[in-house]
Amino acid sequence: MGSEEEPSQMRRAVVDSLAGAISGGISRTVTSPLDVIKIRFQVQLEPTTSWGVLQRDVYGPSKYTGLLQATKDILREEGLPGFWRGNVPALLMYMPYTAIQFAVLHKLKTFASGSSRTEDHLHLSPYLSYVSGALAGCAATLGSYPFDLLRTILASQGEPKVYPNMRSAFVDIIKTRGVQGLYCGLSPTLVEIIPYAGLQFGSYDTFKRSMMAWNRYRYSNLNLGSEDDSVSSFQLFLCGFAAGTFSKAACHPLDVVKKRFQVIFLS
């Protein structure tokens, strides 16, 4: 029986990985304008606060000072395509990243729980959920990092452009810095991804367990004769939204440091 369940669970993990990669690619394309603006703010050395703008004798003028102003400037200087700058390497990064992450996560949780059943993975302690997520994030980062670097470089450059496309950036990096140049900034990226992926998956499992407990409590109070703890698609969305927001907010300073290391190529 166990040998029959293992292929079924692995197929489910593969399907989940592919679904995550495809949906992630779609969401990445849709939200690319906000991602481009975020990267521009992250790599800008000058402050964006009103107080910082007043200290121009110390910091120099800030190109981007607010969301609306940055949107107008990018649209005026680069047109609509400017909001999707670096989107191709972002897609090439995200799809293998998601596939590797989910595959490794499934294997680690299977090893930790002694079962390949996804339902049994929910019984893991928060500590093991955090460690599994962190290790899966590290593996996915190592497998897709060059595309992340290219995305940051292309999305961060305004006008005039240093690299017109991904190919030119790739060739120049290889020519000037060798293959190791494609992994510039990897160390701060791993420092960021360990707490980020750990918090993301650890908090997601915690929120999902809490939602299941709430469903059991709700059904028992309604006297329906059963304790259905299944989680709806909307509840899963809420769990993912809360986990993603929490982990992003907590690790954003590390993401800024990572982006600064990556754009050293533009200096």
Side-chain angles (χ1 to χ4, degrees):
M1 185 68 178
S3 60
E4 294 178 358
E5 289 181 352
E6 177 68 22
S8 175
Q9 292 300 320
M10 284 306 299
R11 281 196 297 271
R12 178 174 177 179
V14 171
V15 170
D16 288 345
S17 298
L18 290 175
I22 294 172
S23 61
I26 295 173
S27 63
R28 174 70 67 178
T29 301
V30 172
T31 60
S32 179
L34 292 175
D35 192 47
V36 168
I37 294 173
K38 181 199 74 170
I39 291 176
R40 299 287 177 92
F41 277 118
Q42 287 179 324
V43 301
Q44 178 176 265
L45 298 179
E46 297 79 16
T48 58
T49 62
S50 57
W51 179 87
V53 172
L54 294 176
Q55 309 299 311
R56 294 188 177 184
D57 56 325
V58 178
Y59 296 104
S62 301
K63 180 174 177 60
Y64 303 114
T65 58
L67 180 61
L68 184 60
Q69 178 267 333
T71 302
K72 290 179 178 178
D73 274 12
I74 294 174
L75 183 62
R76 184 182 69 253
E77 296 174 359
E78 306 167 44
L80 279 176
F83 291 107
W84 279 269
R85 185 167 289 176
N87 191 52
V88 172
L91 293 176
L92 293 176
M93 173 205 72
Y94 198 84
M95 299 188 77
Y97 180 92
T98 306
I100 295 172
Q101 186 180 48
F102 276 93
V104 173
L105 184 67
H106 178 81
K107 279 294 186 182
L108 289 173
K109 286 189 172 182
T110 297
F111 175 78
S113 64
S115 170
S116 62
R117 291 171 54 85
T118 306
E119 294 78 7
D120 295 333
H121 295 172
L122 287 174
H123 300 303
L124 289 174
S125 68
Y127 170 75
L128 287 176
S129 293
Y130 175 91
V131 172
S132 298
L135 292 176
C138 286
T141 298
L142 291 172
S144 61
Y145 183 78
F147 294 114
D148 185 27
L149 176 66
L150 292 171
R151 177 197 63 145
T152 300
I153 290 176
L154 293 177
S156 64
Q157 59 181 1
E159 293 292 340
K161 293 185 289 186
V162 178
Y163 301 112
N165 51 52
M166 183 178 69
R167 181 181 178 278
S168 65
F170 176 82
V171 171
D172 184 66
I173 292 171
I174 293 293
K175 185 182 300 183
T176 57
R177 298 177 181 260
V179 176
Q180 64 270 23
L182 294 173
Y183 291 87
C184 178
L186 178 61
S187 296
T189 300
L190 291 176
V191 170
E192 177 221 2
I193 203 66
I194 289 173
Y196 171 70
L199 287 173
Q200 183 183 31
F201 286 102
S203 59
Y204 176 78
D205 287 345
T206 299
F207 292 146
K208 187 175 179 180
R209 282 192 291 265
S210 299
M211 195 67 73
M212 293 171 66
W214 161 252
N215 287 342
R216 285 194 296 269
Y217 172 78
R218 185 181 59 177
Y219 273 88
S220 63
N221 279 358
L222 291 177
N223 296 320
L224 296 179
S226 64
E227 293 187 356
D228 187 4
D229 63 356
S230 58
V231 184
S232 67
S233 298
F234 179 70
Q235 288 176 326
L236 287 175
F237 166 78
L238 291 179
C239 291
F241 180 82
T245 302
F246 171 65
S247 55
K248 274 288 186 184
C251 300
H252 184 75
L254 295 174
D255 190 44
V256 174
V257 174
K258 180 191 81 171
K259 293 294 193 300
R260 295 288 177 88
F261 270 93
Q262 290 178 326
V263 297
I264 192 174
F265 288 104
L266 299 179
S267 61

Coordinates of all heavy atoms in Angstrom, one line a residue, residues 11 15-16 53 56 76 82 101 146 156 174 179 221 261 263:
R11 N 3.5 12.4 -7.7 CA 2.8 13.0 -8.8 C 2.1 14.3 -8.4 O 2.1 15.3 -9.1 CB 1.8 12.1 -9.5 CG 2.4 11.0 -10.4 CD 1.4 10.4 -11.2 NE 0.4 9.6 -10.4 CZ 0.5 8.4 -10.1 NH1 1.6 7.7 -10.5 NH2 -0.4 7.8 -9.3
V15 N 2.8 18.0 -9.8 CA 1.6 18.8 -10.3 C 1.6 20.2 -9.5 O 1.4 21.2 -10.1 CB 0.3 18.1 -10.1 CG1 -0.9 19.0 -10.4 CG2 0.2 16.9 -11.1
D16 N 1.8 20.1 -8.2 CA 1.8 21.3 -7.4 C 2.9 22.2 -7.8 O 2.8 23.5 -7.9 CB 2.0 21.0 -5.9 CG 0.7 20.4 -5.3 OD1 -0.4 20.5 -6.0 OD2 0.8 19.8 -4.2
V53 N 15.2 64.4 1.2 CA 15.3 65.2 0.0 C 15.8 66.6 0.3 O 16.5 67.3 -0.5 CB 13.9 65.3 -0.7 CG1 13.9 66.3 -1.8 CG2 13.5 63.9 -1.2
R56 N 20.0 67.7 0.4 CA 20.6 67.4 -0.9 C 22.1 67.8 -0.8 O 22.9 67.2 -1.6 CB 19.9 68.2 -2.0 CG 18.5 67.8 -2.2 CD 17.9 68.4 -3.4 NE 16.5 67.9 -3.6 CZ 15.8 68.3 -4.7 NH1 16.2 69.1 -5.6 NH2 14.6 67.8 -4.8
R76 N 7.5 58.3 -18.7 CA 7.9 59.4 -19.6 C 9.3 59.0 -20.2 O 9.4 59.3 -21.4 CB 8.0 60.7 -18.8 CG 8.4 61.9 -19.7 CD 8.6 63.1 -18.9 NE 9.8 63.1 -18.0 CZ 9.7 63.0 -16.7 NH1 8.6 62.9 -16.1 NH2 10.8 63.0 -16.0
G82 N 9.2 49.9 -20.2 CA 10.1 50.0 -19.0 C 9.6 49.3 -17.8 O 10.4 49.0 -16.9
Q101 N 12.1 24.3 -5.4 CA 11.7 24.6 -4.0 C 10.6 23.6 -3.5 O 10.8 23.0 -2.4 CB 11.1 26.0 -3.9 CG 10.8 26.5 -2.5 CD 10.3 27.9 -2.4 OE1 9.4 28.2 -3.2 NE2 10.8 28.7 -1.5
P146 N 21.5 32.9 -11.2 CA 22.0 33.8 -12.3 C 20.8 34.6 -13.0 O 21.0 35.7 -13.3 CB 22.6 32.8 -13.3 CG 23.1 31.7 -12.5 CD 22.1 31.5 -11.4
S156 N 16.8 47.4 -12.8 CA 17.3 48.6 -12.0 C 17.9 49.7 -12.9 O 18.0 50.9 -12.5 CB 18.4 48.1 -11.1 OG 19.6 47.7 -11.8
I174 N 30.0 37.3 -18.3 CA 30.9 36.2 -18.5 C 32.3 36.7 -19.0 O 33.3 36.2 -18.6 CB 30.3 35.2 -19.5 CG1 29.1 34.5 -19.0 CG2 31.3 34.2 -20.0 CD1 29.4 33.6 -17.8
V179 N 32.4 32.9 -15.1 CA 31.1 32.2 -14.6 C 30.8 32.6 -13.2 O 29.6 32.8 -12.8 CB 31.3 30.7 -14.7 CG1 30.1 30.0 -14.2 CG2 31.5 30.3 -16.2
N221 N -19.6 23.7 16.9 CA -20.6 24.6 17.5 C -21.9 24.6 16.7 O -23.0 24.9 17.3 CB -20.1 26.0 17.5 CG -19.2 26.3 18.7 OD1 -19.0 25.4 19.5 ND2 -18.6 27.5 18.8
F261 N 24.1 44.6 -3.6 CA 25.3 43.8 -4.0 C 25.2 43.4 -5.5 O 26.2 43.4 -6.2 CB 25.3 42.5 -3.1 CG 26.2 42.6 -1.9 CD1 25.6 43.0 -0.7 CD2 27.5 42.4 -1.9 CE1 26.3 43.1 0.5 CE2 28.3 42.5 -0.8 CZ 27.7 42.9 0.4
V263 N 23.7 45.0 -8.0 CA 23.8 46.1 -9.0 C 25.3 46.7 -9.0 O 25.5 47.7 -9.6 CB 22.8 47.2 -8.8 CG1 21.4 46.7 -9.0 CG2 22.9 47.8 -7.4

